[in-house]
Amino acid sequence: MTLYQPFLDYAIATLQDRLDLSPYPIPAGFESNTATTGKGKREVTVHTTSHGYCSPKLRQIRAAHVQAGDSLQVLNFVIFPRLEYDLPFFGGDLVTLPGGHLIAIDMQPLFRDSPDYQARYSEPIMPMFNRYQQHLPWGGDFPEEAQPFFSPAFLWTRPTELEDVTTHVFNAFKDYLNAYIGFVEQAQPITDPEQLKAIETAQLSYIRYRAEKDPARGMLTRYYGAEWTEEYIHGFLFDLERHLQTA
Ligand code: DBV
């Protein structure tokens, strides 16, 4: 089973169709990785692949896809806009573990407390969110410190049925992504220096948080070691800081 491959295929095809995509470089050694865990009949191969694109308004569109049989499937898919735009991040964390499915889909705001920002980037999504929440109820238990990084349209759910993932979650992923691309199409570059500074600060704060708290760190370290995992997190998955240093 490769539960989230259709999500990834759909995302790349749709972005390619609607935006002007170019490849985003993946550092050598991080295009893919494979590890084996368990012994005898329980032996499982854990295969991780990386995918990267960019567009004139999007600095990095990237995915990490972890596949290890029916009980471990993960697609982490995030879009980081260029710093000249006040666009939110698109974030998808689609996780299937032995304990069940855990789904996070959102357009994560740069300025959560700004009414104007919410009016532009969250309110238009609320009808969609309300529609999906009927089938995908709030997933509960959610780290308090992560709150500032989520929008009011944050879809956070723990489906108990596989069928909910292949139907409602897939539809929600498609709808959120298409709405996001609509925002991208409309976005105009910011020129005000103060606003540009605020965007950079907000992007850095988000990326530092995600890199520091990456919930996959434990899993990736177990399979691929600490050195590979830290470099993967800081050199590819959440790489803005590196790029600002070398710019
Ligand atoms: N999460 C990542 C990356 C992953 C990844 C880069 C390469 O940011 C996977 C893979 N997320 C992943 C895994 C788990 C979670 C959990 C493997 C399960 C961890 C475990 O149970 O061992 C949203 N993802 C989670 C959790 C949250 C999120 C809140 C629960 C963990 C917890 O309670 O601390 N990820 C988190 C988030 C976004 C996101 C803030 C935004 C959409 O992508």
Side-chain angles (χ1 to χ4, degrees):
M1 179 186 71
T2 140
L3 183 55
Y4 299 116
Q5 187 69 48
F7 290 64
L8 181 58
D9 292 343
Y10 177 88
I12 293 168
T14 304
L15 287 159
Q16 221 136 32
D17 187 46
R18 294 187 58 186
L19 302 175
D20 181 16
L21 284 201
S22 315
Y24 185 93
I26 300 168
F30 296 88
E31 302 91 344
S32 72
N33 205 347
T34 302
T36 332
T37 67
K39 291 224 160 65
K41 277 195 182 149
R42 297 233 188 100
E43 191 172 281
V44 199
T45 301
V46 185
H47 188 55
T48 297
T49 56
S50 308
H51 309 264
Y53 299 88
C54 60
S55 85
K57 295 180 185 174
L58 302 173
R59 191 186 68 80
Q60 189 198 33
I61 300 160
R62 61 94 182 125
H65 191 194
V66 183
Q67 298 183 78
D70 288 358
S71 60
L72 177 59
Q73 296 282 324
V74 176
L75 179 65
N76 183 263
F77 181 85
V78 183
I79 299 179
F80 303 94
R82 292 193 193 276
L83 302 184
E84 298 79 30
Y85 296 91
D86 74 356
L87 286 161
F89 306 95
F90 180 87
D93 205 15
L94 313 168
V95 179
T96 296
L97 299 173
H101 313 284
L102 181 161
I103 303 292
I105 302 173
D106 197 13
M107 301 198 201
Q108 301 182 292
L110 288 175
F111 309 112
R112 195 189 198 280
D113 298 327
S114 154
D116 167 65
Y117 195 87
Q118 271 203 19
R120 279 191 296 139
Y121 290 130
S122 296
E123 273 162 36
I125 311 302
M126 289 314 285
M128 201 186 281
F129 169 74
N130 290 325
R131 221 166 43 242
Y132 284 110
Q133 253 219 328
Q134 293 170 19
H135 304 286
L136 302 169
W138 179 249
D141 262 8
F142 179 73
E144 186 74 39
E145 57 193 358
Q147 302 274 353
F149 300 109
F150 288 92
S151 84
F154 178 35
L155 204 57
W156 166 246
T157 187
R158 302 172 192 262
T160 50
E161 304 300 326
L162 180 64
E163 201 192 333
D164 289 327
V165 178
T166 59
T167 58
H168 300 306
V169 172
F170 195 17
N171 287 333
F173 180 79
K174 290 175 182 170
D175 279 357
Y176 272 63
L177 183 67
N178 278 290
Y180 185 81
I181 296 171
F183 289 147
V184 174
E185 287 168 341
Q186 286 170 31
Q188 297 297 321
I190 307 286
T191 52
D192 175 52
E194 239 172 80
Q195 244 181 307
L196 286 169
K197 193 68 209 162
I199 291 170
E200 184 181 312
T201 304
Q203 280 232 9
L204 280 171
S205 137
Y206 174 83
I207 282 158
R208 281 179 186 141
Y209 175 81
R210 294 287 309 263
E212 188 186 325
K213 301 287 172 171
D214 190 342
R217 179 176 265 110
M219 175 185 90
L220 293 174
T221 301
R222 234 175 304 126
Y223 300 138
Y224 305 123
E227 196 183 330
W228 187 91
T229 299
E230 289 312 310
E231 189 52 31
Y232 192 43
I233 291 173
H234 295 282
F236 179 63
L237 293 178
F238 303 104
D239 68 0
L240 177 64
E241 232 161 339
R242 292 269 181 94
H243 283 264
L244 290 178
Q245 279 159 11
T246 56

